[in-house]
Amino acid sequence: MKTPFFSIITPTYNRGYIISKAIESVLNQKFDNWEMIIIDDGSTDNTEEVVKKYQQNSEKIKYIKLEKNMGPNVARNLGSERSSGEWLVFLDSDDQLTPDALENISYYIQKHKDVSFFIFACKDLDGKIPLNIAFYEGYIDYLDFLCKIKGEALPVIKREVFIQEKFLESIRGGENITWIKILKKGYKAFYSSKVVRIYNNKLEDRLSYKKKNYNRLVQVHTVFIKNFFWDLLKHCPLKLATTTAKIIVYKFLQLITKYD
Protein backbone atom coordinates (compact mmCIF):
# COMPACT_ATOMS: atom_id res chain seq x y z
CA MET A 1 0.00 0.00 0.00
CA LYS A 2 1.33 3.42 -0.96
CA THR A 3 2.25 5.97 1.70
CA PRO A 4 -0.91 7.91 2.59
CA PHE A 5 -1.10 11.65 2.11
CA PHE A 6 -3.48 12.02 5.06
CA SER A 7 -3.54 10.21 8.39
CA ILE A 8 -6.93 10.72 10.01
CA ILE A 9 -6.54 10.45 13.79
CA THR A 10 -9.69 9.47 15.66
CA PRO A 11 -9.68 8.85 19.43
CA THR A 12 -12.77 7.16 20.82
CA TYR A 13 -14.23 6.03 24.11
CA ASN A 14 -17.52 4.10 24.36
CA ARG A 15 -18.78 5.49 21.06
CA GLY A 16 -19.82 2.20 19.50
CA TYR A 17 -23.29 3.63 18.97
CA ILE A 18 -22.09 6.52 16.79
CA ILE A 19 -18.55 5.93 15.47
CA SER A 20 -19.89 4.34 12.26
CA LYS A 21 -20.86 7.79 10.99
CA ALA A 22 -17.28 9.04 11.36
CA ILE A 23 -15.83 5.97 9.65
CA GLU A 24 -18.29 6.06 6.78
CA SER A 25 -17.65 9.76 6.23
CA VAL A 26 -13.99 8.87 5.64
CA LEU A 27 -14.74 5.85 3.47
CA ASN A 28 -16.97 8.02 1.28
CA GLN A 29 -14.27 10.58 0.51
CA LYS A 30 -13.62 11.46 -3.14
CA PHE A 31 -9.91 11.77 -2.30
CA ASP A 32 -8.73 8.25 -1.47
CA ASN A 33 -5.08 8.55 -0.44
CA TRP A 34 -5.57 8.26 3.33
CA GLU A 35 -5.34 6.03 6.36
CA MET A 36 -7.63 6.23 9.37
CA ILE A 37 -6.16 5.42 12.77
CA ILE A 38 -8.76 4.79 15.44
CA ILE A 39 -7.42 4.77 18.99
CA ASP A 40 -9.83 3.11 21.40
CA ASP A 41 -9.19 4.69 24.79
CA GLY A 42 -10.21 1.67 26.86
CA SER A 43 -13.83 1.35 25.73
CA THR A 44 -16.08 -1.09 27.56
CA ASP A 45 -18.87 -1.11 24.97
CA ASN A 46 -19.01 -2.61 21.45
CA THR A 47 -16.63 -0.08 19.84
CA GLU A 48 -14.05 -2.74 18.92
CA GLU A 49 -16.68 -4.94 17.27
CA VAL A 50 -18.01 -2.04 15.21
CA VAL A 51 -14.56 -0.93 14.01
CA LYS A 52 -13.39 -4.43 13.12
CA LYS A 53 -16.37 -4.93 10.82
CA TYR A 54 -15.12 -1.99 8.77
CA GLN A 55 -11.55 -3.29 8.88
CA GLN A 56 -12.69 -6.45 7.10
CA ASN A 57 -13.39 -4.35 4.01
CA SER A 58 -10.66 -1.72 4.22
CA GLU A 59 -7.00 -2.18 5.07
CA LYS A 60 -6.71 1.60 5.37
CA ILE A 61 -8.52 1.54 8.73
CA LYS A 62 -6.14 0.87 11.63
CA TYR A 63 -7.34 0.06 15.16
CA ILE A 64 -5.37 0.47 18.39
CA LYS A 65 -6.91 -0.35 21.76
CA LEU A 66 -5.51 0.95 25.05
CA GLU A 67 -5.88 -1.25 28.10
CA LYS A 68 -7.36 1.56 30.18
CA ASN A 69 -8.80 5.02 29.68
CA MET A 70 -5.92 7.50 29.39
CA GLY A 71 -7.68 10.55 27.97
CA PRO A 72 -8.15 11.83 24.40
CA ASN A 73 -4.82 13.66 24.22
CA VAL A 74 -2.88 10.48 25.03
CA ALA A 75 -4.90 8.68 22.36
CA ARG A 76 -4.36 11.39 19.75
CA ASN A 77 -0.61 11.49 20.42
CA LEU A 78 -0.33 7.72 20.12
CA GLY A 79 -2.28 7.74 16.87
CA SER A 80 0.01 10.43 15.51
CA GLU A 81 3.11 8.46 16.47
CA ARG A 82 1.76 5.36 14.72
CA SER A 83 0.74 7.30 11.60
CA SER A 84 2.60 7.33 8.31
CA GLY A 85 0.84 10.13 6.41
CA GLU A 86 2.40 13.46 5.54
CA TRP A 87 -0.54 15.38 7.01
CA LEU A 88 -2.58 14.71 10.15
CA VAL A 89 -6.33 15.32 10.26
CA PHE A 90 -7.88 15.22 13.75
CA LEU A 91 -11.45 13.93 13.58
CA ASP A 92 -13.42 13.06 16.72
CA SER A 93 -15.39 9.82 16.72
CA ASP A 94 -18.78 11.52 16.90
CA ASP A 95 -18.05 13.96 14.07
CA GLN A 96 -18.05 13.54 10.29
CA LEU A 97 -16.15 14.80 7.29
CA THR A 98 -18.08 16.32 4.42
CA PRO A 99 -17.87 14.15 1.25
CA ASP A 100 -15.35 16.45 -0.43
CA ALA A 101 -13.38 17.34 2.72
CA LEU A 102 -10.05 15.69 1.88
CA GLU A 103 -10.25 16.88 -1.71
CA ASN A 104 -10.72 20.47 -0.54
CA ILE A 105 -8.01 20.20 2.10
CA SER A 106 -5.59 18.80 -0.48
CA TYR A 107 -6.36 21.74 -2.78
CA TYR A 108 -5.44 24.26 -0.07
CA ILE A 109 -2.27 22.37 0.82
CA GLN A 110 -1.11 22.46 -2.80
CA LYS A 111 -2.06 26.13 -3.12
CA HIS A 112 -0.29 27.25 0.07
CA LYS A 113 2.94 25.30 0.15
CA ASP A 114 4.45 27.59 2.79
CA VAL A 115 1.78 26.61 5.35
CA SER A 116 2.30 23.88 7.96
CA PHE A 117 -1.00 24.21 9.81
CA PHE A 118 -4.50 24.66 8.38
CA ILE A 119 -7.76 25.35 10.16
CA PHE A 120 -10.96 24.59 8.28
CA ALA A 121 -14.50 25.62 9.14
CA CYS A 122 -17.10 23.22 10.45
CA LYS A 123 -20.84 23.28 10.99
CA ASP A 124 -22.63 21.97 14.05
CA LEU A 125 -25.84 19.96 14.04
CA ASP A 126 -27.84 23.20 14.15
CA GLY A 127 -26.21 24.38 10.91
CA LYS A 128 -24.12 27.05 12.63
CA ILE A 129 -20.39 27.67 12.19
CA PRO A 130 -19.10 27.62 15.80
CA LEU A 131 -16.07 29.83 15.28
CA ASN A 132 -15.76 33.58 15.73
CA ILE A 133 -13.88 34.06 12.44
CA ALA A 134 -16.36 31.95 10.46
CA PHE A 135 -16.14 33.83 7.15
CA TYR A 136 -12.50 34.94 7.28
CA GLU A 137 -10.08 33.50 4.72
CA GLY A 138 -6.35 33.96 5.12
CA TYR A 139 -3.22 33.61 7.20
CA ILE A 140 -3.32 33.50 11.01
CA ASP A 141 -0.39 34.31 13.28
CA TYR A 142 0.50 33.54 16.88
CA LEU A 143 -1.20 36.58 18.42
CA ASP A 144 -4.35 36.05 16.34
CA PHE A 145 -4.71 32.57 17.76
CA LEU A 146 -3.73 33.59 21.27
CA CYS A 147 -5.93 36.66 21.59
CA LYS A 148 -8.80 36.46 19.13
CA ILE A 149 -9.81 33.04 17.88
CA LYS A 150 -12.26 30.82 19.72
CA GLY A 151 -14.61 28.04 18.74
CA GLU A 152 -14.58 24.76 16.80
CA ALA A 153 -12.85 23.96 13.52
CA LEU A 154 -10.99 21.08 11.85
CA PRO A 155 -7.20 21.18 12.41
CA VAL A 156 -4.88 19.78 9.75
CA ILE A 157 -1.13 19.84 10.35
CA LYS A 158 2.08 18.46 8.91
CA ARG A 159 3.02 15.35 10.82
CA GLU A 160 6.67 16.38 11.18
CA VAL A 161 5.61 19.66 12.80
CA PHE A 162 3.06 18.17 15.19
CA ILE A 163 5.39 15.42 16.43
CA GLN A 164 7.74 18.10 17.80
CA GLU A 165 5.09 19.45 20.19
CA LYS A 166 2.04 17.12 20.51
CA PHE A 167 -0.93 17.52 22.85
CA LEU A 168 -0.54 17.94 26.60
CA GLU A 169 -1.31 14.63 28.24
CA SER A 170 -1.79 16.07 31.73
CA ILE A 171 -5.16 17.55 30.76
CA ARG A 172 -8.23 16.34 28.90
CA GLY A 173 -8.74 18.83 26.11
CA GLY A 174 -6.95 22.11 25.51
CA GLU A 175 -5.76 21.24 22.01
CA ASN A 176 -5.54 24.97 21.25
CA ILE A 177 -2.66 25.24 23.70
CA THR A 178 -0.60 23.04 21.40
CA TRP A 179 -1.63 24.96 18.28
CA ILE A 180 -0.63 28.25 19.91
CA LYS A 181 2.74 26.82 20.98
CA ILE A 182 3.37 25.68 17.40
CA LEU A 183 2.51 29.10 15.98
CA LYS A 184 4.77 30.76 18.54
CA LYS A 185 7.65 28.81 17.00
CA GLY A 186 7.04 30.66 13.75
CA TYR A 187 5.16 28.10 11.65
CA LYS A 188 2.60 29.54 9.24
CA ALA A 189 -1.11 28.87 9.64
CA PHE A 190 -4.03 29.43 7.28
CA TYR A 191 -7.76 29.52 8.00
CA SER A 192 -10.28 28.53 5.35
CA SER A 193 -14.01 29.16 5.59
CA LYS A 194 -14.58 26.01 3.54
CA VAL A 195 -16.74 23.70 5.68
CA VAL A 196 -15.17 20.23 5.86
CA ARG A 197 -16.45 18.86 9.19
CA ILE A 198 -19.84 18.25 10.77
CA TYR A 199 -19.44 18.90 14.49
CA ASN A 200 -21.64 17.03 16.95
CA ASN A 201 -22.40 19.61 19.61
CA LYS A 202 -25.07 17.60 21.40
CA LEU A 203 -23.15 14.99 23.41
CA GLU A 204 -22.72 15.54 27.14
CA ASP A 205 -19.15 14.24 27.30
CA ARG A 206 -17.89 17.05 25.10
CA LEU A 207 -15.60 19.41 26.99
CA SER A 208 -17.80 22.21 25.64
CA TYR A 209 -20.80 20.69 27.40
CA LYS A 210 -20.08 22.63 30.55
CA LYS A 211 -22.50 21.22 33.10
CA LYS A 212 -20.56 18.03 33.71
CA ASN A 213 -17.06 19.25 32.86
CA TYR A 214 -16.28 22.09 35.24
CA ASN A 215 -13.17 20.40 36.63
CA ARG A 216 -11.77 19.76 33.16
CA LEU A 217 -12.46 23.35 32.12
CA VAL A 218 -10.69 24.69 35.21
CA GLN A 219 -7.64 22.56 34.38
CA VAL A 220 -7.54 23.62 30.71
CA HIS A 221 -7.90 27.35 31.43
CA THR A 222 -5.32 27.19 34.22
CA VAL A 223 -2.75 25.51 31.99
CA PHE A 224 -3.51 28.02 29.23
CA ILE A 225 -2.71 30.95 31.52
CA LYS A 226 0.44 29.28 32.87
CA ASN A 227 1.78 28.76 29.35
CA PHE A 228 1.04 32.20 27.95
CA PHE A 229 0.70 34.53 30.95
CA TRP A 230 3.19 37.22 29.92
CA ASP A 231 2.04 37.39 26.31
CA LEU A 232 -1.58 37.53 27.46
CA LEU A 233 -0.72 40.32 29.86
CA LYS A 234 1.14 42.29 27.18
CA HIS A 235 -0.99 41.70 24.08
CA CYS A 236 -4.48 40.72 25.25
CA PRO A 237 -5.09 41.57 28.91
CA LEU A 238 -8.85 41.31 28.38
CA LYS A 239 -8.44 37.66 27.36
CA LEU A 240 -6.34 37.09 30.48
CA ALA A 241 -9.01 38.70 32.65
CA THR A 242 -11.93 36.79 31.12
CA THR A 243 -10.07 33.48 31.30
CA THR A 244 -9.25 34.10 34.97
CA ALA A 245 -12.89 34.97 35.60
CA LYS A 246 -13.98 31.71 33.94
CA ILE A 247 -11.73 29.72 36.27
CA ILE A 248 -13.31 31.39 39.30
CA VAL A 249 -16.85 30.81 37.99
CA TYR A 250 -16.21 27.17 37.08
CA LYS A 251 -14.67 26.48 40.48
CA PHE A 252 -17.76 27.97 42.11
CA LEU A 253 -20.12 25.95 39.90
CA GLN A 254 -18.05 22.85 40.54
CA LEU A 255 -18.53 23.39 44.27
CA ILE A 256 -22.29 24.00 44.21
CA THR A 257 -23.05 21.12 41.79
CA LYS A 258 -21.65 18.70 44.36
CA TYR A 259 -24.76 19.38 46.40
CA ASP A 260 -27.32 19.20 43.55
Side-chain angles (χ1 to χ4, degrees):
M1 188 173 69
K2 62 182 179 180
T3 301
F5 188 67
F6 292 114
S7 291
I8 300 158
I9 310 299
T10 301
T12 188
Y13 177 68
N14 286 346
R15 293 275 177 78
Y17 67 97
I18 200 171
I19 194 172
S20 292
K21 292 183 178 181
I23 297 172
E24 288 176 10
S25 78
V26 175
L27 290 171
N28 292 332
Q29 289 298 302
K30 297 175 183 178
F31 185 100
D32 65 357
N33 188 10
W34 54 264
E35 65 176 356
M36 184 178 193
I37 302 178
I38 299 171
I39 310 92
D40 187 338
D41 194 17
S43 292
T44 56
D45 66 352
N46 66 331
T47 295
E48 182 172 0
E49 179 183 346
V50 172
V51 175
K52 289 195 171 180
K53 284 183 180 179
Y54 286 99
Q55 280 189 298
Q56 293 173 2
N57 298 314
S58 177
E59 63 179 3
K60 296 195 291 186
I61 297 175
K62 314 293 172 54
Y63 178 74
I64 302 168
K65 184 162 186 178
L66 303 181
E67 293 184 0
K68 61 180 181 178
N69 184 262
M70 301 293 291
N73 286 350
V74 173
R76 291 186 184 103
N77 287 344
L78 177 61
S80 302
E81 291 165 4
R82 299 282 184 89
S83 68
S84 55
E86 183 179 349
W87 290 85
L88 303 178
V89 180
F90 291 95
L91 179 72
D92 287 347
S93 59
D94 56 335
D95 292 343
Q96 301 171 61
L97 294 178
T98 60
D100 56 356
L102 297 184
E103 186 177 54
N104 285 325
I105 294 169
S106 175
Y107 167 79
Y108 276 88
I109 288 173
Q110 299 304 323
K111 184 178 180 181
H112 301 282
K113 294 184 181 296
D114 59 333
V115 175
S116 300
F117 176 42
F118 289 89
I119 309 150
F120 290 89
C122 65
K123 284 188 177 179
D124 63 24
L125 297 181
D126 300 315
K128 299 177 181 178
I129 299 177
L131 192 71
N132 65 335
I133 58 166
F135 303 108
Y136 173 75
E137 184 94 9
Y139 289 94
I140 297 171
D141 64 20
Y142 165 64
L143 291 180
D144 287 333
F145 219 118
L146 178 68
C147 301
K148 301 175 183 178
I149 298 173
K150 61 179 180 179
E152 285 290 337
L154 181 81
V156 178
I157 190 167
K158 275 188 175 180
R159 182 185 184 277
E160 63 184 30
V161 173
F162 177 78
I163 291 298
Q164 298 174 27
E165 191 67 47
K166 295 192 285 189
F167 294 124
L168 297 175
E169 298 185 355
S170 59
I171 55 176
R172 291 176 178 254
E175 297 95 324
N176 278 359
I177 295 172
T178 295
W179 305 141
I180 296 170
K181 283 184 172 183
I182 287 171
L183 292 185
K184 191 171 184 178
K185 290 181 176 180
Y187 290 103
K188 287 190 176 182
F190 189 93
Y191 172 76
S192 169
S193 58
K194 178 72 69 175
V195 174
V196 299
R197 168 193 174 201
I198 307 301
Y199 167 62
N200 189 334
N201 59 323
K202 303 296 185 181
L203 296 186
E204 293 187 7
D205 59 349
R206 282 283 192 187
L207 185 60
S208 56
Y209 191 90
K210 296 179 175 60
K211 186 175 181 181
K212 294 187 177 180
N213 289 303
Y214 296 133
N215 184 54
R216 292 165 64 187
L217 286 162
V218 167
Q219 290 178 340
V220 168
H221 288 313
T222 300
V223 172
F224 173 73
I225 289 177
K226 285 182 177 178
N227 275 272
F228 307 109
F229 177 80
W230 293 110
D231 283 341
L232 287 166
L233 185 64
K234 181 178 179 180
H235 299 287
C236 36
L238 181 59
K239 179 74 172 283
L240 176 60
T242 56
T243 305
T244 302
K246 286 179 181 179
I247 293 172
I248 295 170
V249 170
Y250 291 143
K251 283 185 175 181
F252 174 72
L253 292 172
Q254 183 182 357
L255 181 64
I256 63 174
T257 52
K258 289 181 180 181
Y259 303 101
D260 284 353

